[in-house]
């Protein structure tokens, strides 16, 4: 003989299950609300960071341009100064080494002065485009120059 027992549903068990399910649903809803709030805040932080990044980027571009203009001016002045020094010493070269070397010095001085003037007259955009064109035309020379300049700065700041 087999006896089958049917589980009796205790009213307290049903109520507990009901409350547990309600609590579970409430926890799911709370988690969903927290997830939505987190997404909203993350979006706000992302937008704020993007705005600050754009502002900093614009400020950096302006500052970089100002520094490049100052550098261009100083380079032009340095070339002019070097040109004057060479020109002033050309007469000494004439006396000590001969007129031929004095003429070389004067020629170098004129060339430096012309380059300083050209540098002063050209805009940064024109100089940048000239640099790009030179690199495209002779990439090996550009890499060589970059290596020499890098070596120079490494030795200078050592």
């Amino acid at each position: 003989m087999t006896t089958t027992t049917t589980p009796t549903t205790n009213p307290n068990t049903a109520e507990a299950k009901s409350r547990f399910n309600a609590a579970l649903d409430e926890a799911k809803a709370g988690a969903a609300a927290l997830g939505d709030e987190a997404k909203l805040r993350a979006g706000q932080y992302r937008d704020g960071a993007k705005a600050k990044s754009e502002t900093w980027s614009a400020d950096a571009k302006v500052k970089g341009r100002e520094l490049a203009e100052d550098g261009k001016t100083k380079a032009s002045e340095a070339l002019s100064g070097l040109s004057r020094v060479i020109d002033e010493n050309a007469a000494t070269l004439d006396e000590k080494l001969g007129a031929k070397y004095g003429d070389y010095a004067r020629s170098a001085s004129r060339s430096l002065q012309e380059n300083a003037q050209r540098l002063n007259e050209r805009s940064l955009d024109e100089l940048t485009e000239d640099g790009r064109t030179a690199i495209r035309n002779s990439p090996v020379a550009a890499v060589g120059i970059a290596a020499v300049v890098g070596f120079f700065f490494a030795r200078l700041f050592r």
Side-chain angles (χ1 to χ4, degrees):
M1 165 163 150
T2 314
T3 49
T4 314
T5 56
T6 57
T8 56
T9 307
N10 185 347
N12 290 337
T13 304
E15 183 180 340
K17 284 183 180 180
S18 173
R19 286 187 180 183
F20 180 75
N21 287 334
L24 197 56
D25 290 342
E26 189 175 323
K28 286 179 184 178
L34 283 174
D36 291 343
E37 184 177 341
K39 287 179 185 177
L40 177 66
R41 285 190 181 181
Q44 290 171 341
Y45 290 138
R46 183 178 49 248
D47 293 343
K50 185 177 179 183
K52 283 184 181 181
S53 169
E54 289 171 355
T55 301
W56 289 344
S57 176
D59 291 347
K61 285 179 183 178
V62 168
K63 186 65 176 175
R65 187 134 186 111
E66 289 173 1
L67 291 173
E69 285 288 345
D70 289 346
K72 181 184 95 156
T73 302
K74 287 179 182 179
S76 175
E77 290 171 357
L79 288 174
S80 292
L82 182 59
S83 170
R84 280 191 300 275
V85 168
I86 291 172
D87 201 38
E88 291 169 358
N89 290 307
T92 305
L93 289 174
D94 283 340
E95 292 173 10
K96 295 192 177 192
L97 299 175
K100 180 179 176 182
Y101 293 101
D103 289 342
Y104 287 148
R106 285 182 197 86
S107 174
S109 173
R110 275 191 304 275
S111 178
L112 284 171
Q113 188 59 39
E114 289 168 2
N115 285 326
Q117 187 176 2
R118 264 188 265 141
L119 181 62
N120 224 7
E121 291 171 351
R122 307 213 45 189
S123 72
L124 283 177
D125 295 331
E126 290 172 330
L127 293 172
T128 302
E129 187 55 38
D130 288 348
R132 286 183 181 145
T133 302
I135 290 170
R136 271 188 233 113
N137 291 341
S138 183
V140 174
V143 170
I145 291 170
V148 168
V149 170
F151 178 76
F152 172 74
F153 278 118
R155 299 297 263 166
L156 182 69
F157 293 115
R158 196 176 253 190

